[in-house]
């Protein structure tokens, strides 16, 4: 390897553009690799994730290493002006490893040992797999840690799944013993052991949940999911030991995901907990644009929610590490992005805090399962097709916006989201089994702020609440006394808190609170929810609020008001004319409780009133119709305002003050037309 001067190109200096690059698939085609370098220039890309699934190319036989091809890639990309995000290869094992060490194979919940193949199916507890991954990672760090092209470590890929082998069973038992301080009585109390005669009298009796064993003890299910997160993090921490030791100045990430069908955060791991252990949040975003079940603007709202959640995990810019420039290959219908949508969807990521637009994949595979997954370079190897030109347009746009990198998104509104709460609520055998939809409910409370261009942080219960004027906490079913105390402190110190039905029902062990709603919640809300009515999908009720009637469906809490003020009432059923919405002043702050699941028109009215009451406003106001989103990032000298049209027709927006168009180098003021799926990015100097 040649000695090179370190190029100072990092997240803080530029926006990254590029993608997953798999030269290991093309080592027998030097002409293809040569074309890649030419096309990288034409696409205006600058950064490439390399080596993600390359273990068999790096170590084709145990102890036999072939790094020369990767040496060449480092050199040619560096000489081409590019940066490398180097992956560790643990996401997919070579066949020799599974054959020689079968303990690395994962065991599923039916207690069946899986076979070699696919990916992401290794045992996180296996000492052999931990040793092998750490060893290959040390070799990579030794060889490439000082190379000037290296800007980040990409550890494994999309951690997911769980293993039920004997190694994991033993690890789970040790985790349980540690969690409950070696006290079986405490464990049995937390899991409500006497139910169905499930009291344990020896640690050896504990097993992971399984369809062929126990899966109805909610405390066990919840602790198992916590264990899976902790064991995955522990595996990750083992992987990064040599990276931290040998390359302490190189940031480390692993890519988070979202469930694409309904576009909610991935639920297999608690990313709030995982975020503490990585340097930069990255995620793989694949919204199903142009689907037939929701409007473009509805989907854009969900994308904004996940962006704001992942950005808020560390309160710093994140990276979009994977996306597609057009279609994917795993949706039921894999529809291509329409003209202008690729630039629009990319700018939405930047607007909400991303410092990159990266793709899976750079070049389409010739064979196997992802040969039709979207890519920058298609099978035609052309720079003239529509998708390649769309990518080049994004690259040119990012070059004009390089000063956006590293900038912030200040917010006065926090919306609380909690993975553990979702696990527990989904497991609860009550309410409506198909209508709980915790994440989607939180997104609906987020929607009004997104539509009104009010910046939002989507935060964890462990994060600091004190910087927010408004904290929205919908459906926090699982609510510990510690979190209740912190919410009470937030309100006492002057904050405004909004919560809803099905909040504060169980402890952190998924045990119900006895004696009714916790007293601290009754104190700060000035009321007490007595009962929750669950409605069939065909059932409807109505609530009167601020002189208007709004439709209610699925859930209604029957409330006993103490000191609270009644803001709205139910209109039908046996609880007609009883409180549905309340407010209460508590010490320096104020609370609101929404008793039922109400239509979006209510959220617009209700949160509109709170926005006025608290003086919340967009960072820079732009007049526009629904479906246009205005988001902002803020540097030390200016606000960068992204105006994005998520409607199916051109829209007119109004700038009351002159702004500078950063993409076209011209002043804009008054009425400005934004085409269908169009964007405007403008700068507004900060004034003292």
């Amino acid at each position: 390897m040649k000695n090179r001067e370190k190029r100072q190109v990092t997240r803080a200096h530029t926006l990254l553009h590029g993608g997953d690059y798999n030269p290991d698939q093309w080592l027998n085609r030097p002409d293809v690799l040569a074309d890649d370098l030419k096309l990288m220039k034409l696409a205006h890309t600058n950064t490439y994730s390399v080596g993600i699934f390359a273990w068999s190319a790096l170590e084709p036989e145990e102890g036999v290493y072939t790094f020369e091809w990767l040496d060449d890639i480092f050199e040619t990309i560096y000489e081409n002006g590019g940066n490398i995000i180097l992956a560790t290869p643990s996401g997919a094992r070579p066949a020799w490893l599974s054959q020689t060490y079968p303990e690395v194979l994962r065991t599923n919940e039916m207690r069946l040992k899986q076979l070699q193949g696919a990916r992401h199916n290794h045992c996180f507890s296996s000492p052999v797999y931990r040793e092998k991954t750490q060893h290959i990672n040390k070799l990579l760090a030794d060889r490439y840690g000082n190379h000037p092209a290296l800007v980040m470590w990409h550890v494994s890929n999309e951690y997911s799944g769980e293993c039920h082998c004997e190694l994991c069973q033993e690890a789970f038992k040790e985790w349980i013993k540690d969690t409950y301080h070696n006290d079986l009585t405490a464990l049995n109390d937390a899991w409500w052991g006497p139910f169905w005669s499930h009291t344990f009298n020896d640690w050896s009796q504990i097993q992971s949940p399984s369809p062929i064993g126990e899966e109805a003890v909610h405390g066990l299910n919840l602790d198992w999911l916590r264990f899976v997160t902790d064991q995955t993090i522990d595996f990750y921490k083992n992987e990064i030991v040599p990276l931290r030791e040998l390359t302490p100045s190189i940031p480390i990430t692993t890519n988070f995901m979202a469930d694409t069908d309904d576009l909610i955060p991935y639920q297999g791991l608690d990313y709030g907990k995982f975020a503490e252990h990585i340097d930069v949040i990255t995620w793989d975003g694949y919204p199903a644009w142009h689907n037939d079940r929701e409007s473009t603007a509805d989907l854009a709202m969900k994308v904004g929610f996940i962006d704001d959640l992942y950005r808020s995990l560390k309160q710093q810019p994140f990276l979009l590490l994977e996306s597609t420039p057009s279609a994917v290959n795993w949706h039921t219908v894999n529809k291509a992005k329409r003209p202008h949508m690729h630039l629009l969807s990319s700018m939405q990521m930047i607007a909400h805090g991303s410092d990159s637009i990266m793709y899976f994949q750079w070049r389409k595979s010739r064979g196997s399962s992802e040969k039709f997954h979207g890519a920058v370079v298609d099978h035609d190897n052309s720079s003239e097709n529509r998708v390649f030109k769309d990518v080049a347009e994004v690259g040119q746009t990012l070059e004009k916006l390089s000063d956006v990198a590293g900038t912030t998104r200040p917010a006065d509104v926090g919306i609380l989201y909690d993975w553990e709460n979702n696990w527990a609520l989904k497991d609860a055998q009550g309410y409506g089994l198909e209508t709980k939809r915790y994440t989607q409910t939180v997104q609906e409370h987020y929607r009004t702020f997104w539509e009104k261009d009010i910046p939002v942080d989507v935060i964890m219960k462990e994060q600091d609440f004190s910087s927010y004027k408004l904290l929205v906490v919908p459906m926090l079913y699982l609510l510990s006394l510690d979190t209740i105390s912190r919410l009470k402190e937030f309100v006492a110190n002057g904050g405004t808190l909004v919560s809803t039905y099905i909040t504060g029902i169980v402890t952190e062990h998924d045990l119900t609170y006895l004696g009714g709603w916790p007293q601290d919640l009754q104190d700060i809300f000035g009321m007490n929810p007595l009962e929750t009515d669950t409605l069939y999908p065909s059932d409807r009720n109505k609530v009167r609020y601020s002189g208007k009637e709004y439709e209610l469906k699925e859930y209604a809490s029957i409330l006993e008001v103490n000191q609270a003020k009644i803001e709205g009432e139910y209109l039908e059923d046996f609880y007609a004319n009883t409180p549905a919405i309340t407010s209460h002043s508590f010490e320096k702050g104020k609370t609101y409780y929404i008793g039922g699941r109400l239509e979006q028109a209510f959220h617009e009215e209700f949160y509109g009133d709170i926005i006025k009451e608290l003086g919340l406003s967009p960072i820079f106001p732009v007049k526009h119709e629904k479906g246009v989103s205005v988001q902002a990032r803020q540097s030390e000298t200016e606000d960068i305002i992204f105006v994005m049209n998520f409607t199916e027709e051109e829209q007119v927006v109004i700038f009351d003050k002159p702004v500078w168009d950063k993409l076209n180098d011209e002043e804009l003021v008054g009425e400005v037309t934004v085409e269908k799926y169009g964007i405007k990015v403008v700068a507004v100097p900060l004034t003292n």
Side-chain angles (χ1 to χ4, degrees):
M1 299 289 290
K2 300 176 183 178
N3 291 321
R4 302 290 192 187
E5 182 180 351
K6 188 72 173 177
R7 188 192 297 114
Q8 294 300 311
V9 180
T10 65
R11 289 190 312 112
H13 296 85
T14 192
L15 297 173
L16 305 184
H17 187 223
D20 285 13
Y21 182 36
N22 306 111
D24 42 298
Q25 296 180 20
W26 303 94
L27 293 179
N28 63 340
R29 292 290 303 272
D31 57 319
V32 171
L33 299 179
D35 284 345
D36 283 334
L37 297 175
K38 299 172 187 176
L39 292 168
M40 287 171 179
K41 289 284 191 183
L42 294 174
H44 294 264
T45 52
N46 58 32
T47 305
Y48 312 93
S49 300
V50 177
I52 297 170
F53 299 119
W55 199 333
S56 62
L58 296 169
E59 191 180 5
E61 301 175 40
E62 185 172 13
V64 176
Y65 302 103
T66 53
F67 290 105
E68 292 77 16
W69 66 270
L70 188 53
D71 296 346
D72 292 342
I73 293 299
F74 261 84
E75 288 301 309
T76 53
I77 285 181
Y78 177 78
E79 291 167 0
N80 208 43
N83 310 299
I84 288 178
I85 298 174
L86 183 57
T88 66
S90 67
R93 301 176 309 278
W96 62 259
L97 205 161
S98 299
Q99 183 181 46
T100 308
Y101 308 102
E103 77 167 49
V104 306
L105 297 168
R106 188 172 287 180
T107 298
N108 68 18
E109 68 276 10
M110 298 296 289
R111 305 304 193 259
L112 296 175
K113 178 74 78 173
Q114 297 182 8
L115 302 177
Q116 164 64 18
R119 56 179 186 163
H120 309 312
N121 60 353
H122 51 272
C123 171
F124 289 120
S125 301
S126 165
V128 168
Y129 203 58
R130 289 181 174 224
E131 176 188 344
K132 291 297 183 182
T133 54
Q134 193 176 101
H135 180 67
I136 191 74
N137 294 356
K138 182 178 186 303
L139 295 178
L140 291 170
D142 272 334
R143 196 172 187 96
Y144 304 108
N146 291 320
H147 197 286
L150 180 65
V151 295
M152 185 173 295
W153 287 107
H154 177 324
V155 178
S156 195
N157 185 72
E158 295 181 338
Y159 284 116
S160 60
E162 54 193 52
C163 180
H164 297 257
C165 73
E166 286 306 313
L167 291 168
C168 289
Q169 299 293 344
E170 290 305 310
F172 181 47
K173 290 168 188 171
E174 290 302 313
W175 184 93
I176 291 294
K177 288 170 72 174
D178 182 65
T179 299
Y180 292 97
H181 308 292
N182 209 31
D183 185 346
L184 268 173
T185 299
L187 170 69
N188 285 312
D189 287 347
W191 290 2
W192 208 241
F195 178 77
W196 284 359
S197 196
H198 283 350
T199 301
F200 297 104
N201 56 31
D202 192 274
W203 298 104
S204 63
Q205 297 163 358
I206 295 168
Q207 295 178 311
S208 62
S210 171
I212 60 173
E214 181 53 68
E215 57 178 357
V217 175
H218 292 168
L220 165 63
N221 296 343
L222 185 56
D223 276 343
W224 170 253
L225 291 169
R226 288 166 171 157
F227 163 77
V228 169
T229 290
D230 284 353
Q231 193 72 346
T232 305
I233 292 171
D234 193 62
F235 181 86
Y236 159 86
K237 289 167 69 176
N238 180 79
E239 277 212 64
I240 69 172
V241 167
L243 311 184
R244 289 284 191 221
E245 289 179 352
L246 298 173
T247 60
S249 64
I250 302 296
I252 298 174
T253 192
T254 188
N255 42 340
F256 291 173
M257 297 181 284
D259 291 333
T260 58
D261 286 345
D262 213 1
L263 204 67
I264 65 172
Y266 174 67
Q267 292 302 308
L269 296 169
D270 184 343
Y271 282 161
K273 199 170 206 180
F274 212 140
E276 300 171 17
H277 303 277
I278 61 179
D279 299 322
V280 182
I281 300 297
T282 60
W283 81 282
D284 300 346
Y286 294 102
W289 296 111
H290 320 296
N291 69 65
D292 63 352
R293 58 188 180 270
E294 61 195 335
S295 72
T296 303
D298 286 341
L299 181 54
M301 178 275 293
K302 297 177 182 178
V303 176
F305 173 85
I306 296 180
D307 281 342
D308 286 346
L309 169 61
Y310 288 168
R311 173 186 49 79
S312 300
L313 287 175
K314 295 188 81 70
Q315 297 291 336
Q316 65 184 34
F318 63 93
L319 296 178
L320 180 68
L321 207 56
E322 288 186 23
S323 63
T324 179
S326 188
V328 297
N329 72 329
W330 70 81
H331 291 156
T332 305
V333 175
N334 296 296
K335 196 164 187 173
K337 285 181 179 176
R338 272 31 197 171
H340 309 298
M341 177 50 74
H342 182 50
L343 179 61
L344 172 61
S345 60
S346 298
M347 288 302 101
Q348 184 187 23
M349 295 289 179
I350 301 298
H352 280 267
S354 179
D355 275 0
S356 76
I357 302 295
M358 303 282 283
Y359 310 109
F360 179 84
Q361 51 195 326
W362 167 256
R363 178 183 288 275
K364 280 185 178 178
S365 174
R366 189 176 184 190
S368 206
S369 66
E370 291 178 325
K371 62 181 177 288
F372 296 125
H373 190 290
V376 179
V377 181
D378 211 324
H379 296 132
D380 61 9
N381 202 46
S382 173
S383 62
E384 295 301 316
N385 63 55
R386 181 177 71 92
V387 172
F388 189 95
K389 289 180 177 179
D390 283 353
V391 170
E393 180 185 22
V394 168
Q396 292 171 311
T397 303
L398 294 175
E399 289 168 357
K400 294 178 181 179
L401 299 176
S402 60
D403 57 344
V404 172
T407 58
T408 61
R409 277 178 53 83
D412 289 327
V413 179
I415 296 182
L416 198 149
Y417 182 78
D418 184 41
W419 271 269
E420 291 188 351
N421 180 69
N422 197 36
W423 295 340
L425 187 54
K426 286 179 70 175
D427 206 25
Q429 291 166 284
Y431 308 109
L433 298 185
E434 302 298 327
T435 61
K436 285 176 278 193
R437 296 175 60 82
Y438 165 67
T439 303
Q440 294 84 352
T441 301
V442 179
Q443 287 175 333
E444 287 305 309
H445 285 262
Y446 168 90
R447 179 190 293 272
T448 298
F449 301 98
W450 184 81
E451 290 181 342
K452 293 181 178 295
D453 310 326
I454 307 293
V456 170
D457 286 347
V458 183
I459 61 172
M460 305 297 97
K461 62 182 180 297
E462 295 81 9
Q463 290 178 261
D464 183 14
F465 304 153
S466 63
S467 64
Y468 301 105
K469 294 180 179 179
L470 172 65
L471 187 60
V472 181
V473 185
M475 285 187 78
L476 199 58
Y477 163 82
L478 184 145
L479 185 53
S480 70
L481 291 176
D482 177 67
T483 303
I484 291 173
S485 176
R486 295 180 62 238
L487 292 173
K488 186 175 184 179
E489 181 182 20
F490 169 77
V491 178
N493 289 334
T496 296
L497 173 67
V498 176
S499 194
T500 73
Y501 54 95
I502 314 182
T503 288
I505 309 300
V506 299
T507 72
E508 67 272 27
H509 297 298
D510 207 354
L511 295 173
T512 58
Y513 282 105
L514 299 181
W517 218 31
Q519 188 60 50
D520 277 350
L521 291 179
Q522 294 189 45
D523 290 344
I524 61 176
F525 285 96
M527 44 72 64
N528 183 22
L530 301 178
E531 185 179 355
T532 300
D533 189 19
T534 303
L535 281 60
Y536 282 99
S538 59
D539 291 336
R540 290 293 185 275
N541 199 331
K542 289 184 178 180
V543 166
R544 182 182 292 111
Y545 170 79
S546 194
K548 300 176 184 177
E549 294 182 5
Y550 297 97
E551 186 177 87
L552 177 147
K553 62 180 181 178
E554 297 171 344
Y555 296 106
S557 294
I558 300 165
L559 310 180
E560 176 187 61
V561 168
N562 299 319
Q563 298 83 26
K565 176 184 177 183
I566 299 171
E567 301 283 356
E569 295 180 334
Y570 297 110
L571 297 185
E572 299 177 13
D573 220 311
F574 71 91
Y575 40 91
N577 303 314
T578 67
I581 302 157
T582 63
S583 67
H584 182 54
S585 295
F586 178 78
E587 296 191 19
K588 297 179 182 178
K590 191 172 185 180
T591 60
Y592 293 88
Y593 189 90
I594 302 171
R597 181 170 286 174
L598 290 155
E599 62 179 308
Q600 185 57 30
F602 164 77
H603 289 162
E604 289 184 30
E605 181 81 13
F606 174 78
Y607 285 116
D609 291 343
I610 292 178
I611 286 168
K612 292 177 184 176
E613 181 180 338
L614 298 180
L616 304 174
S617 64
I619 290 177
F620 183 81
V622 178
K623 295 177 183 176
H624 60 80
E625 297 297 321
K626 270 192 177 181
V628 174
S629 176
V630 179
Q631 304 293 328
R633 293 181 67 167
Q634 193 171 77
S635 72
E636 294 180 355
T637 60
E638 65 182 8
D639 291 327
I640 304 103
I641 312 299
F642 295 78
V643 180
M644 299 166 285
N645 181 8
F646 290 103
T647 75
E648 315 308 314
E649 56 191 15
E650 69 177 28
Q651 295 286 342
V652 173
V653 303
I654 300 174
F655 297 103
D656 287 337
K657 300 177 182 178
V659 296
W660 188 255
D661 187 330
K662 291 177 72 69
L663 302 183
N664 298 303
D665 288 328
E666 62 181 3
E667 186 177 81
L668 301 176
V669 68
E671 293 189 355
V672 174
T673 299
V674 184
E675 65 182 343
K676 171 184 175 180
Y677 302 157
I679 63 164
K680 294 291 180 183
V681 184
V682 302
V684 181
L686 292 178
T687 56
N688 293 328

